[in-house]
Every structure is written in structure tokens, then in C-alpha cells.
Amino acid sequence: MKKSLLTVLGVIVVGAAGAAWIATRAPSSSFDAVAASGAPSDDLLAHGEYVARLADCVACHTTPEGKPFAGGLKMGTPLGAIFTTNITPDPETGIGNYSLADFDRAIRHGVAADGHRLYPAMPYPSYEKMSDDDVKALYAYFMSDVEPVVQANKASEIEWPLNMRWPLAFWNVVFTDGGVYQAKTSKDEMWNRGAYLVQGPGHCGSCHTPRGVVMNEKALDESGPEYLSGAVLDGWYAPSLRNDPNVGLGRWSEDDIYAYLKNGRNQHGVVFGSMVEAFNNSTQFMTDNDLKSIAHYLKSLPANAESTDVAWSYDPATADDLSKDVADNVPGARTYAANCAFCHGRDGRGKNEWIPPLAGVSSMLTPQAESAINVTLNGSMRVVSNGVPDAYRMPPYREHLSDQQMADVLTYARSAWGNTGDAVTAEEVAKLRSHTDPASIDVIILQMR
Amino acid sequence: MKLSINNEVHDVEADGDTPLLWVIRDNLGLTGTKYGCGLAQCGACSVMVDGVVTRSCVTPIDSVEGREITTIEAIENDPVGKRVVEKWVEYQVPQCGYCQSGQVMAATALLRETQNPTEDDVAAAMVNLCRCGTYNAIHAAVKDLAGEKGGA
């Protein structure tokens, strides 16, 4: 009896010691033994700047009015709001004192130099796939070419005991893959480069992959069927990037994907919602080869097995009947004719690649109507391509249409021209109207991504 | 790019995404068409493309290549447009006049499509904004045109 008690005690002690070790250890870095080297070469700095574009660091680590990379952007988590940090090389308030190994631990392992764990709002489960070369170049860029900014980090609004960070070490054990991207020999070079960019620095899954109950992305690569299968975040539905014909990229060619990421638009649509930021700050700066590799990789992802969608095809009846629908007071038809048709067309086809179609686009076909509602309420952000702002932009209809009018017109558009999206209710519109009103007490702030 | 405007073909040097309104006003000097909101909300920039009322501020020129564009300058060459202008004069519709070329375009396009529009048809088609509030006069003129014997 005494002996078994001792055994149990022993197991507990060893277990606790192991757990404490996991919770407090600093993960090893491949740069631990690397001594600080001299001034970085121009090539290395250019490479680092490019990696910063790929990883779109600026999107979260900068506020709209703030200095680049000085942090301070508020992000929502289920536990309370957190703020992005200053990643400029200021020694006091930024990362100026970080060694390459410290930097690597933060980027790829989610551990800051003082040992505290980062929240996975920082996409280190994706960044850990980044190569040593890319991390090294990124470090050189941040240390040499980013302007130091003195700006203290803001404390998170998560309260004790939930603000303890050590449990994240266990989250990391369960929900990260562990390791740099390993090329698949069965695939060609282009596929591997695309997979690296999408899974690693590009962290596409942060928005496009659904998350589990503890905010973990349900898959981190193509081995999981839910990888990039679409998710709602920040009041937008980031659609599936798999090959489903209606809710995914099934009807897009590799050239279409390339054009979308390069120019922000193609015949299927124009970037809107959070994707505007990804385009403005990141994808348009990628090389043609990288963009084509991304397209190549995405087109290799199969449609969801349970997808029973019949591929959308255009039905001209709506365009022919619009005047009759207006006369017959079909709900939404008059609002469509007076507010939407001048740009998107009575035929729903938009105007070339400049004004997107509503016929056959995923926001009009997905069961999730968030993106359609949000863009109608709040309009679209400025798309800046090659330094030139777009000539045409969706205006906000927040003050113009009631919840019911907006629900009706979206229901009309989501069932017109062969579209098969579900009806939109006034309640759904009212909810998002409140969540996206800056004056509201329950406004949506950036979630993890 | 070649654009056919008021039955005349113009060779226009502009990018495909240039709004038609800019080309009409700035390149061709046809300033009867007005810039209002630039967002397809007000209708001041209305022209007709193949007889259908179109807001030129949100119309990239590469989407109207090869189609017939009619602006207010040529509206009286259209028999329906001519009658609309006559009624506009008879009812003394305009006040400041800024929105009126768009209003005339909207009325002409309506009456070309529907000879005897109902109240509902008129309400659905005449959605251009007017800061002076000439809506009652517009309504009276269009109602008169809508009831014309033998159609407008």
C-alpha cells in the first residue's frame, strides 16, 4: 500500500516536473549558436523586406494612423482584447535587443525574449514553417531597415487568472506541427513553393481555415480536409480556397488566381473585406513566380468531399424580368434596380474586371451571408494597386437602407441569375449593423489572424 | 479606343478603366452631363447606352466600346427626348438645373421602354436626386408624358 502510494506520488512529481519544464522552457532555435555577424548585405536586406511582405507583418503590427511596425492594434479574443506589439528595433519598447535566436523563438515558436508565451493571434503555427534563410533575412531587415519607434506596448485586457501565459505551452504541444516546411518529393518545385508560401509566411489559413473551440486552426496543411475550407472572422466570411465549384475556387483558373493576387481583381471579382489589406500590403508585392506557385498549389486542393454543389451556371431570366419584378413589387427588386443595377448591372455581371459581378460569386452562393451583408452595410475599402487607388468603390448603404430593405435586396441578389445563396433576414443585418458600428458597445475588433 | 457618342465616333486616348463621365466632359468637352457624387447614387451623370439609362461616373469606357452613347447634348435628336424637353419647358421643371440633364435622361429612357408607365413605373425609374426639390414638377411633367395619347 505504502509502496503504491509512493509510486503514485512519484508519477505526480515527475509529471509535474515535466509539465513545468514544458511550460517554462525556451524552445531551442537553430540560431542558438550563431554569433552576431557584421553589417548585413544589401541582398539580405532586400530579401528580408520581401519576406516581411510575404508575411504581411505590417497588417497587424501597425495601426491606421500609427508608425509602421510600432504595434498597438486592438485584436479580440474570446478572453478579452489584446494589442499587437512594437516590432521596431527600439531597444526599450521594441525588439532592438533581440538576438537572431530570440527573434526566431518569437516568430516560429511563439515565445518572446523575456520568456512569455505569445498568443496565437500571432500566426506562429504558420510561421514556424518558414525557412532558416527567410527568418534570418527578416531579422536583418527589421534590425537594419525598419525605423525604430519609441512606443510602449499596451497591456492586454485579459484578466487574471486567464491572463497567465504558461498554459499556451501546452496549446503549442497540441496544435502546432513543429518544424520548418519540408518539400514533398512527390510534388514539383512550383507546388512546393506555393505550399510553403500559403502555409508558412502567407498564413492564409489564419483567415480561411475554420478554427476549433480553443481558436486552433483545424488544419495547417493540405492533409486536413478543413484546410482553407472557409471561415467567418471579423464579420467577414473568408471563402474556401479549395476547389469547390461554388463556394471555393473551382471555377477559377490558375491565371485567374494569379491576376486576383497581382491586380486585386479578375473577371470573377475584386478584393473586398479583409482581403483588401492582404492585397494592398502583401500579395501585389509578390513576384510573378511566387504568385503563380500559390495559384498552382491552391488548385491542387480538392473540393470538400461532402460538397454536393452543382456548379453554378448563369441564368438570364432575372435580367429579362427585372422591370417586371419591380412592377410586381418582388421584395428587393426595386431596391436592386435603384441602387445596385447601375454598377453591378441588371444582368448581375458587373463591368468587365472593374466592377465585380454578383452573378456566380461566392459571397452570393455561400450559406454564410456575412460578407454580402458587411460590404453592403459598410462598403469596400480603397484598393490601391501599383500606388493608384481604384476608380470604383462600393459605397456604404448603412444610412441608406433599412435592415429589411437590405435583407430583401440581398435575398434577391442571392437568388438571381442562377445564384443559390440562402435568404438573408433583417435580424442578421441588424446584428452585423450593430457589430460594425464604431459607436456600438459590441463592435467587432480584429480577431486572431 | 473608339467610342460612339451622339452618332459620332471619337477616338479616345484613355485607360480602359477611365469613367465614361471623365471622357465625355474632359476629353470631349461635352459638359452638359454633370458630376454629382461619383458613386452612382445621385444620377446627375446619367447618359443613355443603347437607350438604357446608365450612370457614366461608374461606367468604365472599355465596357461601352462599340455601343451607342447618347448625352444630353443630343437628346432632342431622339423623338421621345424631344417631347420630354418640351414638357420640361412647359412645366418649368428646373431650378438650379444641375441635376436636370440626368433627370431628362431618366425620363427619356423610361418612356422609350414603357410608353404609358404607371405610377409605380415612374416611382421606380425616376430615382435621381434633386437638391432643389423639383420632384413635384418632375412628377407632373412625367405624368403628363405618360398619359399622352398614343403613348409618348
Side-chain angles (χ1 to χ4, degrees), chain A residues 198-220:
Chain A
V198 168
Q199 297 169 22
H203 66 288
C204 307
S206 292
C207 291
H208 290 276
T209 300
R211 291 178 187 260
V213 283
V214 287
M215 293 304 277
N216 56 302
E217 291 168 40
K218 287 184 174 172
L220 292 166

Side-chain angles (χ1 to χ4, degrees), chain A residues 99-175:
Chain A
S99 68
L100 174 56
D102 291 337
F103 184 79
D104 177 31
R105 269 187 280 273
I107 299 284
R108 292 196 292 195
H109 304 283
V111 181
D114 67 4
H116 81 261
R117 308 272 157 177
L118 306 183
Y119 290 109
M122 166 76 175
Y124 59 84
S126 299
Y127 290 164
E128 77 175 340
K129 302 190 180 197
M130 288 169 67
S131 68
D132 284 2
D133 280 352
D134 279 358
V135 171
K136 204 168 133 187
L138 188 63
Y139 174 75
Y141 168 70
F142 270 100
M143 291 302 148
S144 301
D145 277 4
V146 172
E147 197 67 30
V149 177
V150 181
Q151 181 178 307
N153 291 327
K154 288 187 195 169
S156 87
E157 293 175 356
I158 302 175
E159 292 184 8
W160 191 86
L162 293 171
N163 66 352
M164 287 190 292
R165 305 263 192 148
W166 58 264
L168 284 163
F170 299 98
W171 189 97
N172 292 346
V173 170
V174 181
F175 295 119

